[in-house]
Structures are given as C-alpha cells and as structure tokens.
Amino acid sequence: MSLAKSYAVSLMGLAGTLIEVEAEISSNLPSFVLIGLPDASLSEAKDRVRAASHNSGLSMPARRVTINLSPASVPKHGASFDLAIALSIMAAGGLVRSESVAKWVHLGELGLDGTVRQIPGVLPALLGAKIAGFKHAVVPLANLAEAQLVDGITVVGASHLRQVAKLHGAEIQSDECTNEVHVPKQAASQTTPFLIPDISDVIGQEEAIQALTVAAAGGHHLLMVGPPGAGKTMLAERLPTLLPDLPLREALETTAVYSIATNRVALNSGSLITRPPFEAPHHSASVSSLVGGGMGFPRPGHISLANHGVLFLDEAPEFQKPVLESLRQPLESGEVIINRSAGTARFPARFQLVLAANPCPCGRLSGKGQRCVCSQSQKLSYAARLSGPLLDRVDIRLAITPANPAQMAIGNQSQVERKTSALARVEVANARLAAAERLSQTPWFINAQVPGPYLRNQLKTQPAITSQLDRALDRGVMSMRGYDRCLRLAWTSADLAGRTSPTLEDISMAIYLRGSENPMEPR
Ligand SMILES: [Zn+2]
C-alpha cells in the first residue's frame, strides 16, 4: 500500500476552500474509486485522468486506486480537480516525487490526450490557496495571466500533464513547453488609454450630464424618466466613464467574479479589470440571471458582474415584479446570498443602480402629452410597477426630454468646449476624496451611503441654508425621506464645487435632482 497527496481548491461563490486530494494504491484487483462528495462532473474525472495518464506515457498502476477528497463535507464540483488527482496518483505510484507534489496546489482540467485545459475561477481559487498558506501552484497555461494577478504565490502555467509530471521529477521527455517559472509581477494597473463612449458625445443635455456627474460623485442611484429616443440609454452607458479607476482590492474582486462567470470566460482575457463594469440586462431577465443562482452550483448574476460598477435597467417597469423586488436585499447589504442544495454562496453586489422608464406604456406622455393613447388606469398601473421600497433607494429622479433642434445646433457648434469624461472623472475623484475625508470616522465613504439621522444630526448645516427644505417638510409637501435625499445630494453638489458645506445653490441643485416624490405618477 502506498499513499500520497496533493491539493486543489473548491469554490463556493468567491470563497475557496483548500481540498486535500489523497491517493492510495493497494494490491487489490484493479479499480478506481473516488470518494468525498464529488458531483457528477467531478466523478467523470476518473475516466479523464485514466486516459490522460495513459496517453502521456504515465499509465496508472493495474491495482486498486482510491482517491479521497477531504474535507468530505465541502461540496466539490467541476473538472478543476483532474490535475491534482492525476499527480497524487503518480506520486503514490512513485512516478514523481511525493514530497514535491504535496507542496503544490494543482488546478486544471485534463483532456483525454493529457492536455491541461482552461478552467473558471482560477483567481479566487488562488486567493484561497494563498490564505491557506500555499506558495506554489500549477494552473492551466491559458489561465496564467489571471493567476499572476495574485502576488505571493509562484505559479507555473502548464499545457500538458507530462510537463507537470516533469516539474515534479518524472523521468520523461517533455518538449511541449519549458517549465518556465513565471515570477508573479505586481498586478499592472492597465488604465484603458481611451474610453468609449464619452459624455462629450451627448449633445444638448447639459442638465442631465450634471446630474450624471453628481450621481458618479456621490454614488447615488438614479432614475431617468423620458420618452423613447430622449437619450436615456446613451446617458446611462456614460456613467461608468465618470467613475474613477478601481483600486486594486476592488479590481481583484471584480476580476474574480468575471473569472467564475463561465459564460464570460471567453471575454475574460485574464487581465485585471480596472474600470467599473457596466451591465444592462434585458427586461425579460429572470430572477436567477439577475441576482445569481442556477441549477446545482450557484453562479453570479448581473448584479455581481456589475459589482463596483453600474447596473442599468432600461424600461424598468417592464421587468417582472419579483425580479425588481429581488434587488432590494442586495441594495441594502452590498452582497447576495444564494442557497442551493450544493451549498450557500455569497457574491459581492455593490453596484450603482440606474433605472430608465418611459413616462407611460405608449411612451408619448411627455411635453403636453397630447399624443398619449394610454388610459388613466394603464398609466397608474405602469407607474405602480416601480415599487416604493425600490424607489426609496434612488436619490436622483430625473425627467429627460429630447434635445430640441436649437440645442443640438448650439451643441454641435461648441464642440470644443464640451466637457469630456476624462475631465469630469477628475472632478468626481476630487469630490469623492472630500466626502471620504469627511466620513473618515464612519463606516461610509460616499454620500449615497450616509443615513438620514447622521446627515441631520452630525453633519449639521446652517438653518438658513435648509430653510426651504424645512418649510416644505412642515407643510407636508416633502417627506422625511425626500428631505434626507436632498441633504445627501446637496453634500455631493458641495463636494463637486469644492465647498466645505452646502450652500443655498447646492440645496436648489438637490431639489432639482431629487425630482418629484414619484416621477412616474401621471399628471
Ligand atoms: Zn401613453
């Protein structure tokens, strides 16, 4: 009887658990047993490992092979355990050095010919291995760029099983690739040299652009109501261009979510995502595609792919009610918890929400609204689809009207003076810095996160400044929530202007941005 072991990582959400892969070769009749709660896709590892070993000239011994994956209580899925299983068997069979194999984490799926195939989730898996104290890992060559984002771990990219066997001392010829050890470099911050789209593309919407800048600076959620063709989508797509680059920690988290979203692997080149993402699901999206889920092992949804970026729901009232309701908990906590039979997964979901809506089902209820063909009850039920609790979280409610020909003409002429996203991004970054300094003793760092009581009691503004709001509150034309929203927006406006506290001008701006209590309500 001989024993050996290696290591792999099981992912649940973004959390990686180190899995010990033990191999035992005993003198019983030839068989291959896999134990330790593997799912169906992992059980097939037996056939892949057997064929890959044989075709690499490293045949498995004609005896009983038992593989134990522990801890047994941790659910395991997918094909990423293949490489660790193959290496632990080779170590138990004396083909490679067992003390070497036991020090490495092996991640990779095997093809029947022995090629090492790309797998999802290498970045979060290596972060898990690093926390567990591992210093060396083999990953598929196709995942090497992504793996190198984790510093403190030496990673080797392998394209064939023979190459990994040779790394651990197998006496074979391998000319697939050199066993070049790639020393991880400091994650390079790759700021995209030019960002398309740009707010300078938007003509004749100065107020909307100002609102977008305030939204970016304070992290405020935003609702835009306007007829089709008014430019709502164009504006929403430009919000990410106003947000500053992601700090390393947030960039790693965003890249990690993309790494496990299997449908995005093709798009994920392995480089660090340093710009805030933009997600725009269609209004036919299901709850599980929006918040995450799926059969068996939970996958991240649009809200997690929009983490540290923007989630845009165009034609928001057309989304199914349960889909919109499912946003409430993540908006509150900044993460989503998904329970499935396979286990409980947590995904980050700290996104900025942008909702767009037509003023009515036919979309023509703007201006004087004379061409609208909707009945009053149709308009009411349309407005009611955006629920109060969801709208409560939206600080900015903006009516968007299409730019008229005169504005377009002026806008086209003054092309040189139009503000670019790059310029606005600097203003936004400075405003965020000012807010973060003011809030340094609190758990919050952007104005949108600051709760009402703190705004009213700790961040006191002079009564003369807030008198307009106080009067509106006394007369009952403004709710307490609306009052707090105005204060939050006024602080962001002041931060953008470089003022240390809001002025009357900032309050007026806030009242304009806040819009009406329910901007969807038919007039
Ligand atoms: Zn209508």
Side-chain angles (χ1 to χ4, degrees), residues 359-365 369 371-375 378-379:
C360 66
C362 83
R364 291 192 281 259
L365 185 71
R371 290 162 59 228
C372 172
V373 295
C374 311
S375 70
Q378 277 174 321
K379 285 187 268 191

Side-chain angles (χ1 to χ4, degrees), residues 348-418:
R350 209 169 280 286
F351 55 88
Q352 193 167 353
L353 181 64
V354 178
L355 302 167
N358 291 333
C360 66
C362 83
R364 291 192 281 259
L365 185 71
S366 66
K368 289 182 184 147
Q370 284 161 345
R371 290 162 59 228
C372 172
V373 295
C374 311
S375 70
Q376 189 68 5
S377 70
Q378 277 174 321
K379 285 187 268 191
L380 281 169
S381 78
Y382 186 75
R385 286 195 218 166
L386 289 184
S387 73
L390 184 64
L391 281 185
D392 279 344
R393 314 221 125 258
V394 179
D395 285 341
I396 303 179
R397 291 104 183 260
L398 205 61
I400 304 282
T401 47
N404 61 43
Q407 286 170 315
M408 297 286 278
I410 295 168
N412 273 327
Q413 277 167 10
S414 60
Q415 199 167 10
V416 199
E417 294 153 32
R418 280 212 301 278

